[in-house]
Amino acid sequence: MSVLDTDPREQVQVLAEDGSVVEGATVPDLSEEEFVEMYRTMKLARHFDQRAVSLQRQGRMGTYPPLSGQEAAQVGSAMALDDQDWLIPSYREHAASYVHGLTLEGTLRYWMGDERGNKLDDLNIFPVAVPIASQVPHAAGLGMAANYNDTDEVFMCYFGDGATSEGDFHEGLNFGGVFDTPTVFFCNNNQWAISVPREKQTASETIAQKAIAYGMDGVQVDGMDPLAVYKVASAAVERARNGEEDKLRPTLIEAVQYRYGAHTTADDPSVYRQDDEVEEWKAKDPIPRMETFLRDRGTLDDERVADITESVEDEVAAAIETAEGFTRPTTDSMFEHVYADMSERLREQKAYLDRLRSDHGDEELLE
Amino acid sequence: MSDTQNLTLVQAVRDGLKGELERDEDVVVFGEDVGKNGGVFRATQGLYDEFGEERVFDTPLAESGIVGTAIGMAAYGMKPVPEMQFSGFAYPAFDQIVSHAARLRTRSRSRFSVPMTLRMPYGGGIRAPEHHSESKEAFYTHEAGLKVVVPSTPRDTKGLLAASIRDPDPVVFMEPKLIYRAFREEVPDETYTVELGEAKTRREGSDVSVFTWGAMTRPSLEAAENLDGDIDVEVIDLRTLSPMDWDSIVESFKKTGRAVVVHEAPKTGGLGAEIAATIQEEALGYQKAPVTRVTGFDTPFPLYALEDYYMPEAARIEDGIREAVEF
């Protein structure tokens, strides 16, 4: 039986909260280096996140959506993709995008207000989507195009629990089902859509069970268990790539998790939720869970953990330095990417801005 | 010389789609009822049989889904031509059109573009039910990143549609359904393009310039003919509303010194205001009279018992022209 055939009202788990392997569960077939990479990337994501929030507080970065608590869901799912596959993120998938090749400085650059952070060159990563659930039909459309071109790429589309209330969630999954697209619809159910709790978002017992309405399989997974997420996501990617008889290729995955921090740095979660709720979820923290698992196997020891901690801090520090060293984009670039060819009116407006800059100087304009 | 067919405007849409489907395998046509049924206006008639359901297909009834998936397909390198059955039903897709189709090039610094042509029949005058008669070209023209095209003749329709489909940017292609079958014109069988962003002078004149587009072009010409011998009216069909052919507008105005803008859309915030403002900016010294606007009213488009009062027709346009000339 495929893990995708699990009843969508049950939760797939591999690692218990104490880091031991749940009785009867199979550990995914990864090498020890890959397990360590999974652990290291989660630690990197956590440290990056803490530093990013701090940068925002210091006025060195704009509004930023933190991911702490959601590392396992992001890293475990993105590790299931091949390079040729596509990642269609919402605005919080910094760690998933990192796994799929986006540099930390690229992520910082975007949140520092430089549109070039969304220019991902050769990576199969779609630009960050901010309007909720609007990226879900894009993922279905990319899959329709891949079907037409007969490729075997898979499209992993991320969204939150709030997104499942939007029409675009429904329309995207409906198109995915009708056109049998190679899509993995991955819901990061972090319990809160800004201040609105999961139970006020939908009366469904689980989000995974909504898949039934679209004719596809839905699976709920412990989103703070990186091994379970990897296992479920890998199975969904495999089915999307190599369809099975009588099964639709898309899958809806609901990864149950928790966002420890605010929705964004502009939000104050103390207004709508209790600290003890946060503490309860911290007991499920994916990082110590994975660390215990690896220590128990003899793969990690104090020295190796210390090395990893140090290398993660160095990597993040270097990324921040690089990002802060980027020069401001040119004002020309504001006009250059609106159309393939600039219209006469845009040309005039660009020339007007050039004149303003030359007459007044940048310092006066940027006051 | 190539062969021609005597086609209505909606037949020219079909002929244009057929030509582009033949020309480029990445062109796909889809939407609600466009497949077997051939579209509620028959704009896609026979294309499903000819090109198969990989190229011409029906979708679930979901406007945001149609445009959202078209954006994904376009970003992947295809040339999707989705249909909104009526422009009045495009609002569920508005977020996709303005937040994503218009902005994906900017957001990705030109790595991704959306070479999508979003067809939608617009406008009143066909005794349609509620929400079937709107003219909301100003919404789309206001949005940077989109192009907006409104043809008024069968020959232009085929050429503008081909140019839109081949354009690397998203085009909102608004079809004046009032004149889908109002008249015929000889249309070349071969494919050709009519360049986007170029207005067409439909009638030369020296006393006053009428700027219009789409379904309002014919009553504007009718008004000009009715006034012939009394007032010498120039009628310019803008054809593309974004990018707008400002040079032709300003040049014509400098010649006549008077302007009348005719559109079916409500007056407030309509493109007439934009044209009037640009004339002020670019040619104030030539101005002999205030710019006159002959437009729909600032009311929801009425049910059909009153629609003839709502829509500008020749008599109202003649009044507008006289007003400008007699100032």
Side-chain angles (χ1 to χ4, degrees):
Chain A
M1 189 187 96
S2 163
V3 69
L4 304 182
D5 295 325
T6 311
D7 185 318
R9 291 166 301 179
E10 289 168 15
Q11 198 172 101
V12 177
Q13 203 177 43
V14 173
L15 284 183
E17 286 172 26
D18 64 5
S20 63
V21 175
V22 171
E23 202 184 318
T26 329
V27 171
D29 187 23
L30 287 171
S31 68
E32 291 308 308
E33 290 93 88
E34 286 168 321
F35 282 134
V36 172
E37 187 54 29
M38 188 181 262
Y39 167 74
R40 181 188 186 277
T41 310
M42 291 197 296
K43 281 193 63 121
L44 177 83
R46 176 72 53 91
H47 182 65
F48 172 82
D49 198 55
Q50 290 164 341
R51 293 288 295 123
V53 171
S54 159
L55 289 176
Q56 191 279 333
R57 298 284 181 244
Q58 296 167 54
R60 291 158 69 188
M61 190 160 78
T63 302
Y64 166 83
L67 65 81
S68 289
Q70 304 187 222
E71 295 88 348
Q74 294 200 20
V75 175
S77 58
M79 277 181 75
L81 295 174
D82 286 346
D83 288 347
Q84 60 161 351
D85 297 330
W86 287 68
L87 194 147
I88 296 98
S90 78
Y91 44 76
R92 206 187 296 281
E93 274 76 40
H94 324 309
S97 298
Y98 173 84
V99 172
H100 208 50
L102 178 61
T103 60
L104 295 179
E105 50 266 32
T107 296
L108 287 169
R109 190 175 211 178
Y110 175 78
W111 294 103
M112 286 174 170
D114 182 346
E115 205 94 54
R116 288 173 297 183
N118 247 338
K119 182 173 167 54
L120 309 174
D121 295 321
D122 300 329
L123 301 174
N124 286 348
I125 302 179
F126 227 53
V128 166
V130 171
I132 303 302
S134 59
Q135 71 277 23
V136 182
H138 302 166
L142 286 159
M144 287 162 73
N147 282 350
Y148 183 76
N149 286 281
D150 207 17
T151 72
D152 60 358
E153 296 159 14
V154 173
F155 301 84
M156 176 91 73
C157 179
Y158 294 93
F159 47 89
D161 38 309
T164 66
S165 303
E166 291 272 10
D168 272 356
F169 163 79
H170 163 70
E171 296 188 29
L173 268 76
N174 197 43
F175 272 70
V178 167
F179 294 103
D180 196 23
T181 59
T183 322
V184 181
F185 297 105
F186 195 99
C187 177
N188 283 306
N189 170 9
N190 70 10
Q191 313 305 320
W192 292 91
I194 306 190
S195 67
V196 179
R198 151 67 181 86
E199 61 272 18
K200 284 197 176 167
Q201 213 57 245
T202 172
S204 295
E205 188 182 328
T206 68
I207 287 170
Q209 76 191 46
K210 290 175 185 286
I212 296 167
Y214 306 103
M216 62 184 73
D217 278 320
V219 194
Q220 192 186 70
V221 60
D222 179 347
M224 297 174 91
D225 171 353
L227 299 186
V229 170
Y230 176 80
K231 188 168 157 179
V232 170
S234 298
V237 167
E238 168 59 23
R239 181 182 284 171
R241 202 183 316 280
N242 303 304
E244 294 165 37
E245 214 170 323
D246 300 328
K247 291 283 186 191
L248 283 181
R249 289 190 297 159
T251 305
L252 171 62
I253 297 172
E254 175 193 6
V256 178
Q257 59 205 277
Y258 198 75
R259 117 166 102 74
Y260 293 161
H263 161 67
T264 69
T265 47
D267 167 48
D268 173 13
S270 70
V271 174
Y272 54 82
R273 67 183 195 192
Q274 304 298 317
D275 288 345
D276 54 358
E277 180 185 301
V278 185
E279 291 314 308
E280 274 170 40
W281 281 91
K282 282 192 173 166
K284 302 175 197 289
D285 196 317
I287 296 172
R289 213 158 154 177
M290 188 69 182
E291 187 175 316
T292 305
F293 167 74
L294 289 174
R295 281 177 185 269
D296 288 351
R297 287 165 78 92
T299 308
L300 283 185
D301 55 23
D302 287 349
E303 195 185 345
R304 192 113 197 250
V305 168
D307 284 350
I308 289 171
T309 305
E310 195 185 325
S311 81
V312 155
E313 287 171 1
D314 290 348
E315 187 176 334
V316 172
I320 293 169
E321 198 180 324
T322 306
E324 292 194 318
F326 287 130
T327 51
R328 190 192 293 278
T330 65
T331 53
D332 285 359
S333 73
M334 190 159 71
F335 301 93
E336 278 161 0
H337 301 288
V338 184
Y339 297 99
D341 295 310
M342 209 181 295
S343 69
E344 191 51 40
R345 204 169 230 197
L346 268 187
R347 236 184 279 281
E348 286 164 16
Q349 291 177 2
K350 178 166 140 332
Y352 165 70
L353 180 54
D354 287 343
R355 269 202 317 282
L356 276 179
R357 291 182 64 193
S358 130
D359 291 352
H360 295 274
D362 281 341
E363 270 177 38
E364 192 177 329
L365 292 179
L366 295 173
E367 250 177 23
Chain B
M1 214 182 103
S2 85
D3 292 334
T4 61
Q5 288 180 83
N6 201 25
L7 300 182
T8 62
L9 196 148
V10 71
Q11 287 170 334
V13 170
R14 184 202 174 280
D15 199 43
L17 290 173
K18 179 173 177 286
E20 295 311 296
L21 281 160
E22 278 167 351
R23 213 182 139 263
D24 184 349
E25 282 197 349
D26 286 330
V27 173
V28 285
V29 169
F30 56 96
E32 297 156 11
D33 308 299
V34 305
K36 268 191 180 166
N37 190 39
V40 294
F41 287 105
R42 300 287 170 263
T44 55
Q45 193 159 34
L47 298 178
Y48 172 89
D49 292 331
E50 202 165 330
F51 295 96
E53 68 174 341
E54 273 212 312
R55 307 285 306 283
V56 180
F57 53 91
D58 288 316
T59 64
L61 204 168
E63 287 77 13
S64 189
I66 291 168
V67 177
T69 51
I71 290 166
M73 293 168 92
Y76 196 91
M78 297 183 71
K79 293 261 185 184
V81 189
E83 176 183 293
M84 297 281 98
Q85 202 158 69
F86 287 88
S87 66
F89 299 153
Y91 311 124
F94 196 68
D95 180 36
Q96 288 292 347
I97 298 168
V98 300
S99 301
H100 290 293
R103 294 175 67 111
L104 191 60
R105 176 181 293 282
T106 293
R107 287 166 57 221
S108 67
R109 303 283 85 186
S110 297
R111 179 185 172 196
F112 296 111
S113 61
V114 181
M116 164 183 83
T117 301
L118 181 62
R119 294 182 39 244
M120 52 173 85
Y122 85 95
I126 63 158
R127 306 286 184 261
E130 197 171 7
H131 304 300
H132 285 67
S133 303
E134 285 75 5
S135 295
K136 298 297 185 190
E137 60 271 30
F139 289 176
Y140 305 111
T141 306
H142 193 59
E143 189 62 35
L146 298 178
K147 294 183 176 179
V148 181
V149 174
V150 190
S152 74
T153 71
R155 200 185 164 94
D156 271 6
T157 295
K158 182 172 172 179
L160 288 167
L161 183 57
S164 300
I165 292 171
R166 296 177 204 180
D167 195 275
D169 290 311
V171 177
V172 177
F173 193 85
M174 303 181 75
E175 298 166 8
K177 60 183 177 285
L178 173 64
I179 54 170
Y180 258 161
R181 295 187 169 77
F183 60 101
R184 290 175 180 271
E185 191 181 24
E186 290 297 324
V187 175
D189 286 342
E190 64 186 17
T191 60
Y192 59 93
T193 57
V194 171
E195 199 171 332
L196 305 187
E198 286 192 358
K200 174 91 177 168
T201 305
R202 296 283 175 205
R203 188 183 196 278
E204 300 237 6
S206 56
D207 291 334
V208 56
S209 304
V210 173
F211 302 113
T212 190
W213 55 90
M216 290 295 102
T217 308
R218 278 162 63 83
S220 296
L221 285 166
E222 191 187 333
E225 289 303 321
N226 293 345
L227 294 166
D228 195 30
D230 184 9
I231 302 171
D232 191 18
V233 184
E234 180 147 296
V235 178
I236 297 198
D237 173 5
L238 297 174
R239 303 198 293 194
T240 302
L241 303 179
S242 176
M244 189 83 93
D245 184 354
W246 294 112
D247 289 347
S248 292
I249 292 171
V250 171
E251 198 184 314
S252 174
F253 184 77
K254 283 182 175 171
K255 182 171 80 174
T256 63
R258 297 184 179 90
V260 179
V261 186
V262 183
H263 61 64
E264 213 177 307
K267 188 173 197 172
T268 301
L271 287 175
E274 184 62 37
I275 292 167
T278 302
I279 284 171
Q280 305 266 303
E281 285 175 349
E282 311 258 324
L284 185 63
Y286 296 83
Q287 188 156 4
K288 297 175 187 160
V291 177
T292 301
R293 288 178 282 171
V294 181
T295 69
F297 301 108
D298 293 342
T299 69
F301 196 96
L303 293 185
Y304 70 77
L306 291 175
E307 76 175 335
D308 289 344
Y309 289 103
Y310 181 92
M311 293 185 52
E313 34 60 75
R316 237 160 98 182
I317 299 168
E318 284 172 48
D319 282 356
I321 292 170
R322 285 189 190 284
E323 197 183 316
V325 172
E326 288 163 12
F327 173 73

